[in-house]
Amino acid sequence: MISIVSRVPDPAVRRLTATLYGYAFLSDLVLLYPLYVVFFADTGLSVGQIASLFVIWSAAGILFEVPSGAWADVLSRRLLLCLAPLVAAAGFALWVLLPSYPAFAGGFLLWGAAGALVSGALEALVWTELDRLGAVGRYARVLGRARTAGVLGVVLSGVLAGPVLAVGGYPLVGAASVAACLLAAIAATRFPEHRAPAAARVTVAEPVPAAGPVNAAPPRPDQPDTAPPVGPDEPDSAPPAGPDEPDTVPPASPDDDADLGWWDTLRAGVAQVRTRAPVRSAVLLVAVVAADWGALDEYTPLLALDTGVGAQAVPLLLLLLWAGVTVGGLLAPAGERLGSRGYAALLGLVGVALAGGALLRHPAGFVLIAVAFGAAQLATVLADARLQARITGTSRATVTSLAGMATDVLIIVTYAGYGLLATAAGNAVAFALTAGAYLVVALVLLTRRRRRAVVPTGVVAAVTPGRH
C-alpha cells in the first residue's frame, strides 16, 4: 500500500483529527438514543405507530440525502456540519416539549435531515483537508477512529441514560441530548476548510491503484478508468486494482470545487456515478456492506431475547456488540493492507460469523456476532475509503451522498425482507439468511478478480476504450 508522507507540520493534521473525533463523539452522545422507543410507548403510541415513525425517519434521510450532498459541494461543508446538530437538537426538543405522534414525526423529519447534512459533507471535508495536508493516506485510519469515537458516544449515552431518567425523567434526558448537540455544533466550528481560487480549480483524473512512485505524473484524461488487472502472480497484499476491490490510493491532484451551481453540481455527481464504472461499483459496495449489518443491528435485541435471557441481560449482550464495532474501527490501519482476496475473506467472515452466532440460539453466539460486527465496521470503513479514492472532480460530497441514499434504500428493503423471513421461520433463521448477502458479495469479488487475472491488460484496454 502506498503511503504519503505529510508535507506539513503534524499539528495541522492533529487539529483536524481531534476536531473530527470530538464531533463524532458529541454527535452520538444523545441520551435519548437508548430510550426513545420506550418514550414513544410510554406516551401511548402503538407498535404500528412506532414502526411508521421509523419509515418517516428513513424516508427523510432518502429525501434530503442527495440534495444536501450537492449543497455541501456548493456551500461551506463546515457550515453544514455546524447546522446538522442544531437541526437534530430542534427535533429532540420537539419530542420532549410536545410529546405526541405529530411531534415525534416532525422530530424524525428533522433528525433525518440532520443526518443527511452530515452524510457526504463530513467525508468530503476530511478527505479534501487530508489531501491538502499531504496526508490523504491516513484517511481510512482517521475515519475508523472517528467511527469508534461515535460508538463510544453511543455506549456512554447508554450508561448515562438510566440514571439521568431516574433523576429528572424524559425532560432532563431531552435537555442533555440537546446540550450534546449544541456542543457538537460548537466543535464543528473548529473544522478547517480551504477552498482553492477558481483559477486553480481542476478536475482530477481517476487514480490508477497500482504501486508506483508517489510523485509520479497523474494519469492522462484519455486513459481508461479501469486500472490494470492484478496478475496471477501478484501478491495478495498489492493494492487492489479493479472496480470491485477496496482502494485507498489517493488522487494525484487536490479535490477542488468549481464554480458550479447547486443543480449543475447535483447533475455532475449523478453523472459520475452513472457513467464511470469504478465509481458506480464503489458506491454499490459501500451500500451493500453498510446496509446489511446496519439493518440487522436493529433486530439484535429480539435475537437476544430468543436466546432465553431476561430483558435485563439484553443491554449487556448489546454492549458486547458495540465493543466489537469499536475494535473494528480501530483496525482500519491494518485493514488497509488487505488485498482483494483479503477483503473478500473479511466479508466472508462477516457472513459466517453472523449466521453462526444467530443459529447457535445461545448467549455465547453473541461473541460471534460481535466479531462479525467488528469485521463489518472495518469492511465499511475500507469501502468508504475506496470510494473516496475513486471520486474525482467537484462533486465529492454529492457522490458520497448518493452512496448514503443507496444505503438507506437497501436498509429499508432489508427491513422488509427480514420481517417476512422472521414471520415465516423465526429471528435466528432470518438473521442467518440476511447475513448471506456478505457471502454473495465476497464470491463476486473473488470471481471478478480471477477473471481479470486471466485477461491480458491490453485486452482489457482494448475492450473498454470509452470508459473514462
Side-chain angles (χ1 to χ4, degrees):
M1 181 62 65
I2 299 174
S3 60
I4 305 295
V5 179
S6 179
R7 299 189 297 269
V8 296
D10 283 339
V13 177
R14 288 201 296 269
R15 177 192 173 187
L16 171 64
T17 55
T19 302
L20 174 63
Y21 302 154
Y23 182 78
F25 175 80
L26 291 170
S27 295
D28 283 328
L29 186 62
V30 177
L31 271 60
L32 279 169
Y33 278 176
L35 294 172
Y36 62 82
V37 174
V38 179
F39 181 32
F40 298 159
D42 288 346
T43 306
L45 269 61
S46 66
V47 175
Q49 288 176 311
I50 294 174
S52 68
L53 290 175
F54 290 156
V55 173
I56 292 173
W57 188 16
S58 299
I62 294 173
L63 177 65
F64 294 114
E65 184 75 53
V66 177
S68 67
W71 292 333
D73 285 323
V74 175
L75 305 174
S76 166
R77 292 164 182 167
R78 178 173 57 198
L79 175 62
L80 295 187
L81 295 179
C82 291
L83 289 177
L86 300 180
V87 174
F92 299 145
L94 186 62
W95 285 358
V96 176
L97 295 176
L98 301 170
S100 61
Y101 182 86
F104 295 149
F108 268 124
L109 283 173
L110 292 171
W111 195 3
L117 289 174
V118 173
S119 177
L122 182 67
E123 294 87 350
L125 184 146
V126 173
W127 175 277
T128 303
E129 289 301 313
L130 287 176
D131 191 17
R132 183 184 66 86
L133 298 172
V136 76
R138 304 184 187 182
Y139 178 81
R141 73 177 62 190
V142 168
L143 183 64
R145 291 171 180 174
R147 298 279 177 86
T148 297
V151 170
L152 293 177
V154 173
V155 171
L156 184 57
S157 67
V159 172
L160 296 177
V164 172
L165 179 65
V167 172
Y170 290 115
L172 184 58
V173 171
S177 300
V178 170
C181 291
L182 296 179
L183 291 175
I186 294 172
T189 63
R190 288 186 48 80
F191 275 117
E193 184 175 23
H194 297 80
R195 298 293 177 111
R201 293 169 183 168
V202 295
T203 300
V204 300
E206 169 72 9
V208 177
V214 171
N215 296 321
R220 298 190 307 276
D222 59 343
Q223 290 177 325
D225 284 326
T226 306
V230 177
D233 299 323
E234 188 170 348
D236 186 52
S237 60
D244 301 294
E245 300 165 11
D247 184 353
T248 57
V249 180
S253 302
D255 177 52
D256 297 322
D257 293 291
D259 294 328
L260 295 178
W262 176 83
W263 179 247
D264 290 334
T265 300
L266 178 61
R267 291 180 59 190
V270 173
Q272 185 168 173
V273 175
R274 182 176 57 85
T275 62
R276 300 187 61 228
V279 176
R280 184 170 60 251
S281 64
V283 167
L284 291 175
L285 185 62
V286 168
V288 172
V289 172
D292 206 46
W293 76 283
L296 288 177
D297 177 49
E298 301 296 331
Y299 296 102
T300 51
L302 298 178
L303 194 67
L305 290 174
D306 286 349
T307 65
V309 301
Q312 69 279 4
V314 171
L316 298 178
L317 293 180
L318 299 186
L319 186 61
L320 182 63
L321 301 186
W322 286 113
V325 173
T326 301
V327 173
L330 294 176
L331 288 177
E336 289 183 282
R337 295 193 290 269
L338 292 176
S340 57
R341 285 194 295 263
Y343 189 78
L346 182 66
L347 294 181
L349 172 63
V350 175
V352 171
L354 283 175
L359 294 176
L360 275 179
R361 304 174 191 269
H362 189 276
F366 270 71
V367 175
L368 284 176
I369 299 176
V371 171
F373 272 31
Q377 174 77 312
L378 175 59
T380 302
V381 170
L382 295 178
D384 182 86
R386 168 187 172 275
L387 171 62
Q388 297 301 322
R390 289 178 180 270
I391 301 172
T392 61
T394 63
S395 302
R396 179 171 298 278
T398 304
V399 174
T400 306
S401 290
L402 284 167
M405 184 184 71
T407 302
D408 289 337
V409 171
L410 286 180
I411 284 178
I412 293 176
V413 172
T414 304
Y415 284 156
Y418 186 98
L420 294 175
L421 290 172
T423 301
N427 280 306
V429 174
F431 206 93
L433 290 177
T434 305
Y438 288 108
L439 300 179
V440 174
V441 176
L443 182 61
V444 169
L445 294 180
L446 290 175
T447 301
R448 294 193 176 184
R449 183 184 186 280
R450 292 193 189 99
R451 186 181 304 133
R452 284 191 301 271
V454 298
V455 178
T457 303
V459 174
V460 174
V463 298
T464 58
R467 294 170 63 184
H468 55 78

